[in-house]
Amino acid sequence: MIESLRNTPLLSELSDAQLQRVAARGVRQCLDEGQWLFRQGDPARCFYLVESGQVRLFRLSPDGAEKVIEIVSPGQTFAEALMFLKAPRYPVCAAMLAPTVLIAIDAQDFAAMLRESMDTCFVIMGALSRRLRGLVGEIDNLTLHTAKSRVARYLLAHCPEDRRAFALDVRKGVLASRLSVKPETFSRVIKQLTDDGIIAIHGAHITILERAVLGELAELAATGELGLAPGEIAAGAMP
């Protein structure tokens, strides 16, 4: 468990003694695909590290509609910022996208450890600040770019420059919600990119045929290129 903790960005700068303390209170949890970890509004007593699998964080509207806020992959943590609040509650629901192994970390004990070391506090604050910058970038992506641009950006972000192909490991409906587009809009964008010879799809594998063109679309796609109504583009925006 200590090695898993050490290899996550949030905890990588902790001392050996601190890692041992976290591991001593940490609890591994194995959950099945589709199983829920918590619901929005539940008391937040732990934050979590994903060892394997994937977790879908989402909010539910009063009518039961879902908006995927984040997809958490191995090596990432979630719900850690809540440890700084009094009587915190989870603002989202968490459910497994695949069989998943988590490490539950006691939030109160971790916060107590931070109070004992100013240096550790600054390390954690730095990690959370980087996460905040990422969220600001995400807001820009959702508000300043069209559906086509968002899809292009996602494809580029998940395919390293030294490779041409990658496996899409998230269901299309979940990914559409994550990108704040309707599923039919997402399918339309993918079809157009395929028809234009920019990407190729074989099952769950996507090959980028024209990276430069996809990069231009990621930055320059304009509203109306696909004949989408503004409501379609903005559908499912973050609450």
Side-chain angles (χ1 to χ4, degrees):
M1 184 183 291
I2 288 179
E3 284 307 306
S4 294
L5 297 171
R6 194 194 310 276
N7 290 330
T8 189
L10 181 72
L11 309 174
S12 60
E13 298 299 322
L14 295 183
S15 68
D16 289 343
Q18 289 170 329
L19 288 171
Q20 289 172 1
R21 173 172 173 171
V22 174
R25 297 290 298 272
V27 177
R28 272 198 177 92
Q29 298 182 2
C30 299
L31 294 92
D32 295 327
E33 180 178 353
Q35 188 172 350
W36 288 48
L37 178 64
F38 54 73
R39 297 176 181 271
Q40 61 195 58
D42 286 351
R45 299 185 178 91
C46 297
F47 66 94
Y48 297 88
L49 165 65
V50 180
E51 276 198 297
S52 64
Q54 281 187 322
V55 180
R56 172 173 113 260
L57 303 182
F58 60 98
R59 287 184 61 83
L60 288 174
S61 66
D63 62 1
E66 288 187 10
K67 168 64 184 102
V68 177
I69 303 299
E70 191 170 2
I71 297 169
V72 191
S73 298
Q76 296 180 322
T77 54
F78 61 97
E80 62 271 47
L82 299 176
M83 76 176 92
F84 299 107
L85 302 178
K86 291 183 178 179
R89 293 182 178 274
Y90 296 114
V92 296
C93 304
M96 306 305 108
L97 283 171
T100 300
V101 178
L102 303 171
I103 297 177
I105 299 171
D106 186 285
Q108 285 190 343
D109 185 68
F110 194 90
M113 184 181 72
L114 294 183
R115 285 191 286 270
E116 297 169 3
S117 171
M118 183 177 295
D119 289 341
T120 305
C121 281
F122 277 105
V123 168
I124 299 300
M125 288 172 60
L128 293 177
S129 295
R130 289 190 292 273
R131 176 76 61 86
L132 178 60
R133 286 202 302 272
L135 292 175
V136 171
E138 178 67 19
I139 291 172
D140 285 345
N141 188 38
L142 292 175
T143 57
L144 302 179
H145 296 86
T146 66
K148 191 173 187 179
S149 178
R150 290 178 223 162
V151 173
R153 283 169 168 252
Y154 179 89
L155 296 178
L156 289 171
H158 287 76
C159 187
E161 291 191 11
D162 60 348
R163 297 174 54 191
R164 298 182 64 210
F166 69 100
L168 191 66
D169 57 357
V170 180
R171 294 192 303 273
K172 290 181 180 179
V174 173
L175 181 53
S177 179
R178 179 69 183 87
L179 298 176
S180 290
V181 298
K182 291 182 178 179
E184 57 268 30
T185 301
F186 178 83
S187 296
R188 197 184 312 171
V189 171
I190 291 294
K191 183 178 185 304
Q192 183 169 3
L193 294 176
T194 303
D195 291 345
D196 291 344
I198 299 170
I199 65 173
I201 300 179
H202 301 282
H205 292 271
I206 295 180
T207 301
I208 296 178
L209 303 175
E210 299 288 347
R211 181 177 287 271
V213 176
L214 195 63
E216 292 175 2
L217 292 175
E219 297 296 335
L220 301 177
T223 302
E225 280 185 326
L226 294 172
L228 305 179
E232 267 191 308
I233 294 173
M238 279 190 188

